[in-house]
Amino acid sequence: MTQFSKFLVSIIFLLIGCNFYAQQEVVVSLDVVNIQTVKLNNYSKGYKILTLKDSVILNNSQSFSSLLRYNSPIYIKEYGSGGTSSASFRGTSASNTAVIWNGININSINNGQTGFNSLNVSLFDEINIRSGGGSIEFGSGAVGGTIHLNDELHFGNYVKNQLVSSVGSFGTYHNLYKFSFGSESTAIKLGLAYNKSKNDYKWLGYDVKNENGAYHNTDFSFSIAQKLSNFSKISFYTSKYDGNREFSGQLPNPSAAKEKYKDLSFKNLIDFNFKKNESSHTVKFAFLKDEYQYFANKNNANFNFGKSKRYILNYDFNYKISSNSSIESFSEMESVFGKTDQIKEKNRKQFSQSFILNQQIENFGAFNAKVRKDFNSEYPMPLVFAIGAEIKALKNSFLRFNGSKNYRVPSFNDLFWPSLGNKNLIPESSIQGELGLGFKTNHLKIDVAAFLIDTKDKIVWKPGADPERPGVWTPVNIDEVENKGLEFLISYKKNIAKHIVNFNANYSYTISKDKITNQLLPYIPKHLLNGTVGYSYQKISAFYQHLFNGEIFTTTDNLDDYSVPYFNVGNLGVNYNLLKTKATQLNIGIKINNLFNKPYQVLPGRPMPNRNINLNINYKF
Amino acid sequence: MKISKFLLSLFLLCIIVVSCNNDDDAPALPKGDYENGIFITNEGPFGTGSGTVTYISNDFSTSQNSIYKTVNSEDLGNILQSLIFNNESVYLIANVSNRLVKVNRFTFEKEAATIENLNNPRYAAVASGKLFVTNWGDSFDDTDDYVAIFDAETLVYESSISVDFGPEKLIVLGNNIYVAHKGGYGYNNKISVIDITSKALTKTIEVGDVPNSLVIDNSNNLWVLCGGKPYYAPEETYGTLEKINTSSYEVTTSFDFVDSHPSDLSYTNGKLYYQNSGGVYVMETSSSALPSLSIIADSGYSVIANDDYIYVTDAKDYASSGEVRIYNLDSKQLKISISTGIIPGGVYFN
């Protein structure tokens, strides 16, 4: 590891020593208001970014969990279809995947994670998935990778409406409406979504069905941007999600399940940008409010709850040193208030300062160097850094590499849970590196990379961790984990006359080891493969998506008796274009999930849905 | 997997052959693979997955995990809380799955199962052909706790007796069932007395906080071990050991633990055993004070003394194979450690 980072450091110095005279690769256009994607690409040299466009998002409208399961290298641990769901990136834990909404980290302050079934993503225009650490400008938790949810806003002259409605098996309905408007100086976007499902599918091979699995949620989003002058603009984003889910049961008696979960998430962001000549200033203020209620029995009015409020003030200064290099400073102040039925309201204040250096080298490559230091009211914070570079080795191919130090702060539960929380916790931290090779033409994109993540002081709840309190579960900075593996991505697209064929696949091989016991971590598949083959001809298009999920262990001693076997599952979709003019487009589609009607379980005792059908209509006008 | 299955079949075949050979000498046929021995209930992993039963032969020479699944090709249910013997059957209680399963005591073949009228079931006792099962009900509700009564043969539900919150272990003596109210999601301090014939709650005896185990001695005294409220409770209290006269239903003797939370009272060969602060203690029923020294410096998820041995179960990290450490009560030395399923919670002697 140290040798590897030394190698990276020497490469970086080598690059700095070169002469720079090329144009900045990505020109930030003032017409695009939300420049998250542009920035992400600029600041992710040497990293892999996978972008899911709205068409892919709509083809996987069942849930965020299934969108990621079939289209990304992320392993999704889901307690039955629609249940509690968390993501593991490169074998790291659920709290090591940061979810970023329009540039703001939205992981829960109570448990440090994002619930992937308590988030509706169908209104987002684009989702970027960035593998690996080094997203230090997004703070805590960006260890395994980051998932960026972006609302796109741009100026211009247009009015667009989109209506998507689908009806499926087990009483499942997904509906959304999107409106966007643009003029030379104003851009507006509005979105509304409503989803509901009885989710009462029969459990294949058993006489019972999925009980207590129903859900419904509404999602509202609105964003607006106004050009103030040729140099400045202001924008505002708001989103409100209101979800209501039941947690389904497990074998052999699903009727024992009675739990219900309600959550409310309200996010707001105001962004003022001034850009003139070489300098750009951005001031952001975000207010995020989250609330959940957990009902042990849905028929009983009593519940547990958690609430949090976050205020974030961010000043971002970008200076173009030359036409091919820039430096950026991020200063952020955050104040977090959190409470649960167990924890009295606590406040955590944090200040952080980051610098990012961005450099292009013509006909050779680009690199970033980042450094961040946090100051926190609760615990000492490590200085973190990230470096990444991409070198165009030969025509169409490139070499990329990165190294970073990342951290994850203890959650409010870890720190403050009455009598059990541990106020002496420090952030867990990891050092990681990645080396990748890529090939890119207009038709074909291949990326293969090897990664290594070394985590120490990992926060885990362990029984008897405190020798004074045998048998009592308390959180401690104890585990040391090493994750290593390979990630492979291929994407191919070809037009032959009127036939269009495309193919995308992700494969990941992950070994996550507890360095103390030398056993594999539970709930991490060694092999994970997903892919989609698409074909379209004139008005008809079809796609087939497949997932191979390798065996997982559920015990820390890797017992075969308790492992969950590997499974294969495939979905088929067919779309037909009924109407297509310049202004309007009408598509109807059918999607058959679990095409081969194979029984499979992501977690033991929780069968996933059998074959089911979804009919959808997509009208753009 | 296939090779291990083959080996297992080979092994079973050997046992059959050996058993058949023995039959010539001993005319009594074994009633099943698990006729003599010890059952360990393993709660199983949290959140998802099933509890299991481990079988250990009486001489500790062989053991087998997941015997219910091996015999019946199905899972028992989430969090296997306890089991109880009656005639030729064993009753198993899966807590989160709200499931009660009856199997043959010797073969472990499933005979009946029910999910009716169970809500957070904990422990069971058998009396007059009826099975009495304690239930916590919902976590938020202190008023919905009950003892459910089933026909012990068919597992058909008959009726319920509403009781104070958190009914846990229970024990039969004469025409009474004594139910310890450990408190479930909270902390309670009562023993309910249920009349078996009338199936009615007849008395409530107040004891120390959190009565976690109870035994009956040879003189028909009821001994109740109370752990006290843990340190993370709003107000911590310490343990007590109380002796109750089952004729007058009164606490006749009470011993206070200073600064500790004892648990797992068991009774064998006329003596009381329990664990406290990392050690196993023994006490004569006639003793006028609590013992000051432990006999074995070990403790675990549960501890039970039976005849010549004491069994200490260890749940390790609660997410991997546990083990049971078996100590010889004479020599106080560790006899053997045997691997179990996940979170071994109870030890039962067939």
Side-chain angles (χ1 to χ4, degrees):
Chain A
M1 191 58 229
T2 40
Q3 281 204 333
F4 182 64
S5 46
K6 267 184 195 162
F7 166 66
L8 285 177
V9 171
S10 37
I11 291 285
I12 293 306
F13 281 112
L14 199 76
L15 288 174
I16 294 170
C18 296
N19 278 324
F20 309 122
Y21 47 82
Q23 280 291 320
Q24 188 107 358
E25 192 175 59
V26 183
V27 180
V28 179
S29 156
L30 197 65
D31 280 347
V32 178
V33 180
N34 193 347
I35 55 166
Q36 293 304 327
T37 300
V38 178
K39 272 197 173 167
L40 184 69
N41 282 311
N42 262 346
Y43 297 152
S44 301
K45 297 300 173 204
Y47 290 87
K48 183 176 83 180
I49 297 170
L50 182 69
T51 298
L52 306 179
K53 294 277 181 200
D54 60 347
S55 57
V56 175
I57 298 170
L58 289 177
N59 276 339
N60 296 275
S61 60
Q62 309 94 301
S63 67
F64 194 16
S65 296
S66 69
L67 173 69
L68 295 176
R69 181 175 287 142
Y70 288 101
N71 298 288
S72 80
I74 302 172
Y75 168 67
I76 300 292
K77 182 180 169 192
E78 191 180 20
Y79 286 77
S81 180
T84 308
S85 178
S86 63
S88 165
F89 233 129
R90 297 186 164 178
T92 61
S93 61
S95 53
N96 287 345
T97 300
V99 178
I100 316 293
W101 171 79
N102 291 316
I104 306 288
N105 184 326
I106 57 165
N107 279 17
S108 154
I109 58 134
N110 287 317
N111 65 12
Q113 310 176 7
T114 287
F116 285 80
N117 280 336
S118 41
L119 202 61
N120 182 359
V121 293
S122 55
L123 292 177
F124 293 105
D125 305 295
E126 195 170 76
I127 297 173
N128 293 309
I129 297 165
R130 183 185 188 275
S131 294
S135 293
I136 64 169
E137 61 271 39
F138 302 117
S140 171
V143 179
T146 48
I147 299 172
H148 302 256
L149 312 172
N150 295 328
D151 288 304
E152 201 182 86
L153 271 181
H154 59 95
F155 300 117
N157 281 309
Y158 61 92
V159 180
K160 286 186 205 162
N161 287 281
Q162 185 178 18
L163 199 58
V164 181
S165 188
S166 81
V167 51
S169 311
F170 326 126
T172 306
Y173 301 89
H174 295 148
N175 300 289
L176 72 87
Y177 170 68
K178 271 190 199 182
F179 165 80
S180 55
F181 164 85
S183 73
E184 287 308 316
S185 58
T186 308
I188 292 174
K189 209 192 97 174
L190 174 79
L192 275 169
Y194 180 71
N195 298 312
K196 88 176 207 190
S197 179
K198 281 190 196 143
N199 202 21
D200 55 348
Y201 55 91
K202 184 178 156 19
W203 287 359
L204 281 175
Y206 302 94
D207 289 335
V208 289
K209 61 180 186 172
N210 197 49
E211 289 193 41
N212 201 56
Y215 63 81
H216 62 92
N217 58 63
T218 42
D219 202 9
F220 165 79
S221 73
F222 175 74
S223 38
I224 181 165
Q226 179 68 42
K227 241 184 229 183
L228 302 173
S229 70
N230 281 338
F231 310 110
S232 62
K233 60 181 182 256
I234 189 160
S235 49
F236 171 69
Y237 304 83
T238 186
S239 154
K240 193 178 173 197
Y241 171 84
D242 195 345
N244 201 318
R245 282 184 294 155
E246 296 170 350
F247 289 155
S248 61
Q250 51 180 311
L251 284 167
N253 178 20
S255 70
K258 294 185 210 86
E259 294 163 298
K260 186 174 85 170
Y261 191 83
K262 284 171 82 164
D263 55 346
L264 189 81
S265 168
F266 184 43
K267 306 179 188 77
N268 298 282
L269 169 68
I270 188 158
D271 179 313
F272 171 78
N273 177 263
F274 178 83
K275 187 166 181 277
K276 195 173 183 185
N277 304 332
E278 277 72 43
S279 306
S280 157
H281 305 263
T282 308
V283 179
K284 281 184 188 177
F285 177 70
F287 170 64
L288 309 175
K289 192 178 157 189
D290 285 288
E291 189 175 339
Y292 71 80
Q293 294 178 342
Y294 165 78
F295 297 77
N297 182 342
K298 62 181 175 184
N299 302 315
N300 191 313
N302 290 309
F303 57 85
N304 293 95
F305 69 88
K307 286 180 183 183
S308 71
K309 279 185 284 188
R310 292 171 62 201
Y311 301 88
I312 300 161
L313 183 65
N314 181 304
Y315 170 62
D316 168 0
F317 170 67
N318 185 301
Y319 182 73
K320 223 178 196 181
I321 302 166
S322 70
S323 56
N324 48 35
S325 66
S326 66
I327 186 157
E328 185 147 351
S329 155
F330 286 94
S331 311
E332 189 168 279
M333 257 165 38
E334 183 180 7
S335 180
V336 178
F337 294 86
K339 72 169 182 179
T340 72
D341 54 297
Q342 296 287 326
I343 302 171
K344 278 188 202 156
E345 185 163 270
K346 300 277 177 190
N347 178 229
R348 178 163 80 195
K349 288 192 178 74
Q350 187 158 317
F351 173 77
S352 73
Q353 177 63 47
S354 323
F355 293 102
I356 299 179
L357 178 68
N358 195 20
Q359 182 71 55
Q360 310 279 337
I361 309 147
E362 195 183 27
N363 299 327
F364 186 71
F367 88 95
N368 304 136
K370 308 180 188 180
V371 62
R372 173 178 174 133
K373 178 66 187 167
D374 292 51
F375 304 91
N376 187 296
S377 56
E378 303 292 332
Y379 34 75
M381 298 286 288
L383 177 84
V384 292
F385 67 89
I387 44 178
E390 191 173 303
I391 296 169
K392 293 185 175 77
L394 292 163
K395 192 179 178 237
N396 297 330
S397 68
F398 59 88
L399 188 69
R400 62 178 181 84
F401 46 82
N402 63 68
S404 62
K405 182 173 180 181
N406 305 274
Y407 66 84
R408 195 273 279 191
V409 298
S411 69
F412 270 39
N413 288 354
D414 296 334
L415 290 166
F416 307 122
W417 198 267
S419 308
L420 303 179
N422 180 354
K423 287 179 182 124
N424 298 321
L425 289 174
I426 57 169
E428 61 185 53
S429 63
S430 73
I431 296 270
Q432 56 180 289
E434 180 183 5
L435 183 63
L437 261 173
F439 178 82
K440 196 176 173 183
T441 67
N442 287 337
H443 301 300
L444 180 66
K445 191 178 160 190
I446 296 173
D447 189 288
V448 58
F451 63 85
L452 181 68
I453 307 173
D454 202 81
T455 305
K456 63 169 190 174
D457 299 325
K458 201 168 170 58
I459 300 164
V460 279
W461 285 69
K462 284 215 160 153
D466 179 350
E468 298 290 305
R469 299 181 277 179
V472 175
W473 292 70
T474 50
V476 272
N477 286 105
I478 190 164
D479 275 10
E480 287 179 40
V481 177
E482 182 184 270
N483 306 336
K484 56 187 174 191
L486 294 171
E487 250 180 41
F488 176 76
L489 172 146
I490 182 166
S491 155
Y492 176 76
K493 190 173 180 178
K494 183 105 183 160
N495 300 24
I496 308 161
K498 285 179 178 167
H499 304 267
I500 304 168
V501 179
N502 66 70
F503 171 68
N504 296 295
N506 293 289
Y507 167 73
S508 51
Y509 173 77
T510 312
I511 298 288
S512 289
K513 255 195 187 152
D514 181 321
K515 283 169 81 175
I516 296 160
T517 63
N518 214 26
Q519 297 278 1
L520 295 177
L521 295 191
Y523 302 108
I524 309 284
K526 237 187 227 180
H527 304 280
L528 191 67
L529 172 70
N530 59 48
T532 305
V533 189
Y535 168 76
S536 67
Y537 176 72
Q538 293 183 338
K539 289 185 166 184
I540 194 154
S541 66
F543 66 93
Y544 172 75
Q545 57 187 191
H546 192 92
L547 169 72
F548 169 81
N549 192 116
E551 180 191 32
I552 56 164
F553 293 118
T554 65
T555 63
T556 53
D557 54 352
N558 300 168
L559 290 176
D560 282 328
D561 274 3
Y562 293 87
S563 71
V564 182
Y566 73 83
F567 62 85
N568 280 290
V569 57
N571 309 324
L572 179 73
V574 179
N575 292 307
Y576 184 76
N577 187 254
L578 280 175
L579 175 75
K580 192 172 184 179
T581 68
K582 213 172 180 187
T584 56
Q585 198 173 331
L586 180 63
N587 283 293
I588 53 163
I590 180 168
K591 189 175 178 197
I592 306 166
N593 296 307
N594 194 359
L595 181 66
F596 306 107
N597 207 28
K598 285 260 194 78
Y600 68 101
Q601 296 178 6
V602 175
L603 290 177
R606 297 173 184 275
M608 294 293 281
N610 49 8
R611 184 189 296 135
N612 60 93
I613 294 173
N614 175 288
L615 297 168
N616 58 73
I617 182 162
N618 183 347
Y619 183 39
K620 288 181 183 174
F621 55 102
Chain B
M1 198 60 214
K2 276 193 176 147
I3 288 179
S4 59
K5 264 189 189 159
F6 170 69
L7 288 176
L8 184 69
S9 339
L10 202 67
F11 171 70
L12 291 174
L13 194 73
C14 289
I15 290 177
I16 292 163
V17 170
V18 172
S19 322
C20 290
N21 286 344
N22 288 346
D23 286 348
D24 296 340
D25 311 323
L29 277 165
K31 290 174 181 167
D33 290 348
Y34 311 114
E35 183 182 355
N36 294 306
I38 298 153
F39 294 133
I40 312 258
T41 50
N42 305 294
E43 293 182 6
F46 281 136
T48 194
S50 174
T52 58
V53 178
T54 300
Y55 164 80
I56 300 171
S57 64
N58 272 339
D59 62 359
F60 313 134
S61 64
T62 61
S63 68
Q64 190 187 337
N65 281 322
S66 302
I67 60 170
Y68 179 81
K69 193 166 187 178
T70 305
V71 173
N72 300 293
S73 304
E74 66 161 35
D75 282 327
L76 269 167
N78 194 225
I79 309 296
L80 180 60
Q81 188 63 41
S82 63
L83 67 75
I84 185 172
F85 298 101
N86 178 46
N87 298 331
E88 303 235 316
S89 297
V90 173
Y91 302 85
L92 300 129
I93 295 173
N95 171 252
V96 175
S97 288
N98 290 345
R99 191 166 187 243
L100 175 62
V101 180
K102 181 184 174 217
V103 299
N104 181 285
R105 180 174 190 154
F106 312 115
T107 63
F108 239 70
E109 275 164 20
K110 183 167 120 180
E111 295 173 341
T114 185
I115 54 171
E116 301 301 322
N117 298 286
L118 294 163
N119 189 359
N120 256 311
R122 307 290 299 172
Y123 291 86
V126 187
S128 306
K130 309 293 176 201
L131 194 66
F132 294 77
V133 182
T134 55
N135 286 268
W136 284 357
D138 289 330
S139 59
F140 277 104
D141 198 336
D142 277 355
T143 62
D144 67 343
D145 303 44
Y146 61 98
V147 174
I149 305 169
F150 298 86
D151 182 278
E153 200 52 46
T154 60
L155 298 190
V156 169
Y157 170 75
E158 296 191 348
S159 61
S160 287
I161 305 163
S162 181
V163 294
D164 201 10
F165 72 95
E168 187 81 351
K169 289 184 176 169
L170 64 176
I171 198 163
V172 178
L173 176 68
N175 198 41
N176 281 333
I177 296 179
Y178 297 86
V179 182
H181 292 268
K182 189 178 169 188
Y185 301 98
Y187 313 107
N188 206 342
N189 62 346
K190 292 181 191 71
I191 303 291
S192 288
V193 185
I194 290 170
D195 183 279
I196 293 168
T197 315
S198 66
K199 299 187 181 81
L201 180 69
T202 52
K203 275 178 194 66
T204 303
I205 307 166
E206 195 166 308
V207 291
D209 287 330
V210 193
N212 55 45
S213 41
L214 68 181
V215 298
I216 286 163
D217 70 15
N218 290 338
S219 315
N220 284 347
N221 293 304
L222 175 67
W223 291 81
V224 180
L225 184 61
C226 306
K229 294 181 189 171
Y231 81 93
Y232 48 84
E235 190 194 357
E236 183 177 6
T237 57
Y238 302 116
T240 57
L241 175 64
E242 315 205 4
K243 181 179 164 185
I244 295 167
N245 181 314
T246 52
S247 304
S248 66
Y249 304 105
E250 275 171 9
V251 177
T252 54
T253 317
S254 178
F255 301 97
D256 289 344
F257 289 81
V258 180
D259 197 19
S260 60
H261 302 282
S263 64
D264 299 272
L265 183 67
S266 57
Y267 179 73
T268 193
N269 299 325
K271 290 175 187 158
L272 298 164
Y273 293 84
Y274 59 85
Q275 69 165 330
N276 189 24
S277 304
V280 177
Y281 291 78
V282 60
M283 181 176 154
E284 299 286 345
T285 51
S286 57
S287 175
S288 59
L290 292 169
S292 55
L293 293 174
S294 67
I295 53 164
I296 294 164
D298 194 5
S299 64
Y301 193 59
S302 67
V303 169
I304 185 166
N306 186 59
D307 278 342
D308 299 333
Y309 298 99
I310 193 143
Y311 301 78
V312 178
T313 69
D314 187 343
K316 302 276 181 69
D317 67 353
Y318 293 69
S320 60
S321 305
E323 73 174 11
V324 56
R325 293 187 287 273
I326 303 169
Y327 291 86
N328 191 307
L329 270 180
D330 277 340
S331 67
K332 318 284 190 280
Q333 296 302 306
L334 181 67
K335 164 117 180 133
I336 191 168
S337 292
I338 296 170
S339 178
T340 66
I342 296 170
I343 317 180
V347 184
Y348 303 88
F349 307 93
N350 197 0

